[in-house]
Amino acid sequence: MMAKLTVLTEGFTDRSFEVKPEKVSVGRLEENSVCIPEASVSSHHCEVWLKGDDVIVKDLGSTNGSFINELQLAADKEAVLRPGQTLRLGQVQLRFETGKKQSEAPRQTVRLGDSGTPAAAGATAFSKKSNKATKVFLAVGGLLFLIIVGALVLAFMNLGSTTP
């Protein structure tokens, strides 16, 4: 059996690498055994190795996390990647293939937009640190500010028109 991880993310789809029993490091820097030069991949993202028919993945405390079928791996803990499953490192998706016939979903390509976020409708959005609450807070604060300014303007206009 030849176990390999094939990159599904557009721009890297020509890449795949064989997984062997020896641990290999995967990351953005060229000093890793497997280099994936994409901004969402940490410099030393994870380690992978073959154990029986499964691939073992260990996240190395990466910034954007490692995910198996969208379930995040705990940092410094080992997890099992089975044939046909998807491993996501930041925004880069890889599928574990064995070369055997598998009943698996059709190959999905994730397109990265100009901002580095997935642009495909079915793609999983991923942001390094979510600031949704901050945006909502600022929007509500801005709206309250406009209401208060409007009320003050009306109050001053009424004061100016009531003088004898």
Side-chain angles (χ1 to χ4, degrees), residues 99-119:
K100 297 177 183 176
K101 293 284 184 194
Q102 300 168 21
S103 58
E104 56 192 12
R107 186 173 175 141
Q108 174 189 0
T109 299
V110 176
R111 300 173 192 277
L112 296 180
D114 293 335
S115 65
T117 56

Side-chain angles (χ1 to χ4, degrees), residues 3-137:
K4 67 178 182 173
L5 286 172
T6 301
V7 182
L8 304 176
T9 303
E10 188 173 283
F12 298 97
T13 52
D14 60 333
R15 296 176 186 228
S16 67
F17 63 94
E18 188 174 348
V19 183
K20 298 183 179 186
E22 304 83 39
K23 286 184 182 181
V24 296
S25 62
V26 180
R28 188 177 65 244
L29 299 180
E30 289 184 21
E31 64 194 45
N32 289 288
S33 303
V34 177
C35 176
I36 302 175
E38 204 281 324
S40 67
V41 176
S42 290
S43 54
H44 297 94
H45 202 101
C46 68
E47 292 179 328
V48 296
W49 64 96
L50 190 63
K51 188 174 188 180
D53 287 342
D54 299 324
V55 168
I56 306 301
V57 181
K58 180 180 178 183
D59 185 88
L60 298 175
S62 63
T63 302
N64 293 325
S66 300
F67 299 78
I68 294 179
N69 285 354
E70 295 308 315
L71 294 174
Q72 187 166 7
L73 280 62
D76 296 323
K77 300 286 184 198
E78 297 176 7
V80 176
L81 178 66
R82 292 192 164 67
Q85 288 187 320
T86 302
L87 171 64
R88 180 165 59 85
L89 309 176
Q91 294 177 348
V92 177
Q93 293 188 344
L94 306 99
R95 184 172 47 229
F96 174 28
E97 300 172 345
T98 62
K100 297 177 183 176
K101 293 284 184 194
Q102 300 168 21
S103 58
E104 56 192 12
R107 186 173 175 141
Q108 174 189 0
T109 299
V110 176
R111 300 173 192 277
L112 296 180
D114 293 335
S115 65
T117 56
T124 302
F126 187 87
S127 61
K128 187 173 178 179
K129 299 215 179 347
S130 176
N131 57 1
K132 247 184 206 177
T134 304
K135 288 180 182 178
V136 170
F137 179 78

